[in-house]
């Protein structure tokens, strides 16, 4: 990708200031009804809002920061993921993430977000820089092969495009409303604030939720605020000015290693608070940290497919590998549903999961073979993405290394399951260890530590 003198769109996209417009970016995307419906049915943003932000920004950085081959792989990954996001929304309207207008909108919000970051920070692009930045953007998104006309030809056409799209396509969808009004009031602590503990975060969360909402409303394009019936208060405008102008004055003075974030950078979460002994708390932890990806208190097919998506995303599998993972996770869901969905409503609650597992283990000697072991074999097949018959650490981490599990805990659990210490987990070691997680009454069995120390 060509370098230009002066401002660079892809470099600015990796600047830390981008976090100030990240929530604004999500709201603009979620205001598209197709995106909103896909988020409701397929996304884990309610349970993992910070991961959603990171995936959105991380994917953007990869699109604009890689060589041609890496860019091709990223686009292929997005294409495979979006092929599966389709259906009928709660309002009865069909949706398809492959919709060309929606895909163009999502891409253009990345460009518009960077432009807004610069403008709000007091160092807006001049006319020449803006034209070069847009040329850089168009060069990258050309690989999506969108129909002619979906991406405006020149940067001068963008104001009319955004005004028209806001007027004709955007809605104050449930996902956009939830992002603005509710999600941050119930969100788990981001990794850097885990030291506050649950009680401390609940107090801080109230302030964070209000500040981000006011900042987002203040920074939204006027046409969108008008469309949503939102008012930009003086207090919100002052907050926006202080944060953006302050960051705009300070961040550009930092050395590049502090000013910009690498596309491949990952931060380790804080240690998870230990649970008390016993199968019940372990099962409860497994339900919340592994199975309930959408955070709505139930396991459905969407949760298991969200897990499959996350595995494929992290390991950058090819199409055949992704198909195997999705097939295995679909099989796991069918096992869960058949054994635990007592009322036949197509979902499994935490209570149903814990009660069915404990009852099956305590009262039915055939439960392991009928319900648990087939599911465990499906999980192993899903995790064994290269079909080697072993789980390497990266494969294990892709399934069980959620944002609430510290890497050191995960490594410890992996070593405990690796009974022969050869650096990989066999199917037999996995089945024995995982069975121990569900069945052991004491926490001394290796499998009880597959999510880290209990």
């Amino acid at each position: 990708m060509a370098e230009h003198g002066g401002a660079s769109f892809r470099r600015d996209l990796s600047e830390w200031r981008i976090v100030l417009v990240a929530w604004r970016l999500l709201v603009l995307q979620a205001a598209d009804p197709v995106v909103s419906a896909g988020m409701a049915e397929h996304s884990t943003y309610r349970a993992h809002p910070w991961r959603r932000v990171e995936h959105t920004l991380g994917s953007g950085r990869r699109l604009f920061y890689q060589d041609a081959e890496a860019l091709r792989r990223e686009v292929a990954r997005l294409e495979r993921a979006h092929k599966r996001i389709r259906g009928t929304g709660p309002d009865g309207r069909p949706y398809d993430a492959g919709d060309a207008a929606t895909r163009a909108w999502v891409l253009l919000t990345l460009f518009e977000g960077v432009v807004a970051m610069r403008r709000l920070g007091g160092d807006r692009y001049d006319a020449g820089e803006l034209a070069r930045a847009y040329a850089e953007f168009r060069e990258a998104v050309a690989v999506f092969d969108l129909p002619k006309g979906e991406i405006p030809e020149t940067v001068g056409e963008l104001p009319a495009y955004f005004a028209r799209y806001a007027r004709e396509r955007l809605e104050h969808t449930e996902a956009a409303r939830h992002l603005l009004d509710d999600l941050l009031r119930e969100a788990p602590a981001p990794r850097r604030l885990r030291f506050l503990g649950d009680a401390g975060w609940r107090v801080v969360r109230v302030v964070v939720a209000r500040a981000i909402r006011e900042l987002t409303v203040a920074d939204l394009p006027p046409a969108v605020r008008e469309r949503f019936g939102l008012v930009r208060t003086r207090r919100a405008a002052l907050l926006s000015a202080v944060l953006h102008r302050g960051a705009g004055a300070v961040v550009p003075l930092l050395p590049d290693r502090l000013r910009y974030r690498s596309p491949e950078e990952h931060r380790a979460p804080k240690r998870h608070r230990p649970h008390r002994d016993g199968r019940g708390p372990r099962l409860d932890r497994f339900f919340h940290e592994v199975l309930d990806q959408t955070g709505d208190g139930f396991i459905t097919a969407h949760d298991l497919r969200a897990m499959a998506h996350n595995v494929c995303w992290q390991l950058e599998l090819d199409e055949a590998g992704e198909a195997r993972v999705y097939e295995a996770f679909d099989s796991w869901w069918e096992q869960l549903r058949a054994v635990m969905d007592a009322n036949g409503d197509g979902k499994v609650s935490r209570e149903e999961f814990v009660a069915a597992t404990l009852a099956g283990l305590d009262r039915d000697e055939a439960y392991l073979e009928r319900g648990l072991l087939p599911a465990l074999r499906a999980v192993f097949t899903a995790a064994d993405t290269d079909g080697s018959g072993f789980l390497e650490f990266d494969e294990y981490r892709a399934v069980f290394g959620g944002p609430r599990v510290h890497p050191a805990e995960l490594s410890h659990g992996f070593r405990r399951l690796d009974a022969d210490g050869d650096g990989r987990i066999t199917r037999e070691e996995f089945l024995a260890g995982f069975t121990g997680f569900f069945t052991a009454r004491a926490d001394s069995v290796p499998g009880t530590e597959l999510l880290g120390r209990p």
Side-chain angles (χ1 to χ4, degrees):
M1 187 176 296
E3 283 285 357
H4 299 289
S8 165
F9 167 74
R10 65 189 181 102
R11 188 173 64 239
D12 290 341
L13 182 61
S14 288
E15 193 175 281
W16 279 104
R17 278 191 294 166
I18 198 70
V19 301
L20 292 176
V21 294
W23 212 257
R24 173 187 184 278
L25 172 66
L26 292 184
V27 170
L28 285 175
Q29 293 182 354
D32 185 294
V34 174
V35 176
S36 178
M39 289 174 67
E41 294 290 323
H42 300 274
S43 176
T44 65
Y45 81 99
R46 290 176 182 259
H48 305 288
W50 314 116
R51 186 172 74 187
R52 171 60 193 248
V53 172
E54 175 54 34
H55 278 190
T56 299
L57 296 180
S59 181
R61 286 191 297 269
R62 284 189 292 270
L63 285 174
F64 298 102
Y65 226 91
Q66 304 287 4
D67 58 30
E69 178 57 26
L71 175 60
R72 184 196 63 77
R73 290 198 304 270
E74 180 65 16
V75 171
R77 173 165 64 166
L78 290 170
E79 298 280 4
R80 291 193 299 271
H82 291 157
K83 274 197 310 186
R84 298 181 172 91
I85 302 177
R86 60 183 62 184
T88 302
D91 58 3
R93 289 185 292 181
Y95 67 90
D96 186 338
D99 175 67
T102 298
R103 295 170 72 199
W105 169 251
V106 169
L107 290 170
L108 283 161
T109 58
L110 283 171
F111 180 80
E112 192 271 348
V114 172
V115 174
M117 177 193 80
R118 291 284 302 262
R119 172 176 51 80
L120 293 166
D123 57 340
R124 66 171 67 227
Y125 291 127
D126 64 30
E129 290 173 335
L130 186 61
R132 289 194 295 271
Y134 191 62
E136 194 177 343
F137 167 82
R138 279 181 51 87
E139 181 183 351
V141 301
V143 298
F144 285 94
D145 198 25
L146 292 170
K148 185 176 177 59
E150 292 294 348
I151 301 290
E153 293 287 336
T154 68
V155 72
E157 299 173 54
L158 286 183
Y161 167 87
F162 275 96
R164 183 178 67 255
Y165 204 92
R167 183 177 64 251
E168 298 177 359
R169 291 283 298 250
L170 298 190
E171 300 174 8
H172 200 179
T173 62
E174 172 58 23
R177 187 205 63 75
H178 189 74
L179 282 166
L180 270 177
D181 297 332
D182 297 328
L183 181 59
L184 289 168
R185 300 182 184 278
E186 59 197 38
R191 293 172 180 176
R192 293 178 180 274
L193 297 182
R194 297 284 169 78
F195 68 89
L196 293 172
D198 291 342
W201 170 243
R202 281 195 295 271
V203 174
V204 171
R205 182 168 57 188
V206 175
V207 178
V208 171
R210 178 174 297 179
I212 292 181
R213 186 190 189 280
E214 292 201 353
L215 177 67
T216 302
V217 171
D219 294 347
L220 283 172
V224 176
R225 284 201 303 270
E226 181 179 352
R227 179 89 167 144
F228 289 3
L230 299 172
V231 177
R232 186 178 193 253
T233 65
R234 290 183 178 179
R235 183 174 63 182
L238 178 61
L239 176 67
S240 173
V242 169
L243 291 178
H244 285 291
R245 290 299 180 117
V250 173
V251 173
L253 300 178
L254 298 175
D256 284 357
R257 62 185 177 82
L258 298 177
R259 181 178 178 181
Y260 300 106
R261 184 172 185 183
S262 163
E264 304 304 323
E265 181 178 335
H266 299 282
R267 299 289 185 182
K270 303 294 279 186
R271 292 181 65 85
H272 192 283
R273 183 165 53 103
H275 288 257
R276 60 190 186 277
D277 292 344
R279 293 178 299 171
R282 281 201 305 273
L283 294 175
D284 188 80
R285 181 185 180 191
F286 188 75
F287 180 93
H288 288 295
E289 295 191 9
V290 176
L291 297 176
D292 183 17
Q293 289 283 307
T294 56
D296 62 356
F298 297 94
I299 314 168
T300 68
H302 292 307
D303 291 288
L304 275 295
R305 291 183 73 80
M307 290 175 66
H309 170 77
N310 199 50
V311 170
C312 296
W313 186 270
Q314 292 192 60
L315 297 179
E316 301 189 24
L317 304 178
D318 60 20
E319 189 164 3
E322 287 195 359
R324 288 195 300 270
V325 169
Y326 275 92
E327 181 180 353
F329 274 96
D330 286 344
S331 175
W332 187 9
W333 162 244
E334 289 304 320
Q335 293 291 340
L336 291 171
R337 183 193 58 77
V339 174
M340 299 177 181
D341 182 15
N343 59 7
D345 63 353
K347 56 187 179 182
V348 176
S349 69
R350 181 191 62 81
E351 292 78 12
E352 285 178 320
F353 173 75
V354 174
T357 302
L358 291 177
L361 295 172
D362 288 338
R363 302 173 194 167
D364 186 351
E365 293 182 357
Y367 174 77
L368 287 178
E369 188 53 52
R370 189 184 73 250
L372 184 58
L373 288 177
L376 295 182
R377 294 186 187 107
V379 176
F380 184 90
T381 300
D384 180 21
T385 53
D386 61 2
S388 65
F390 302 94
L391 292 191
E392 310 291 346
F393 182 70
D394 284 349
E395 294 173 322
Y396 177 79
R397 178 179 58 195
V399 179
F400 301 112
R404 288 170 282 186
V405 182
H406 192 282
E409 291 183 330
L410 200 70
S411 297
H412 178 78
F414 181 86
R415 289 194 299 270
R416 292 300 301 272
L417 291 179
D418 179 17
D420 59 8
D422 66 351
R424 56 187 185 176
I425 299 172
T426 66
R427 182 185 297 269
E428 292 70 25
E429 288 171 333
F430 181 82
L431 293 177
F434 220 132
T435 301
F437 177 84
F438 286 111
T439 60
R441 295 180 182 275
D443 286 326
S444 58
V445 176
T448 62
E449 301 182 1
L450 62 88
L451 297 180
R453 292 179 177 87

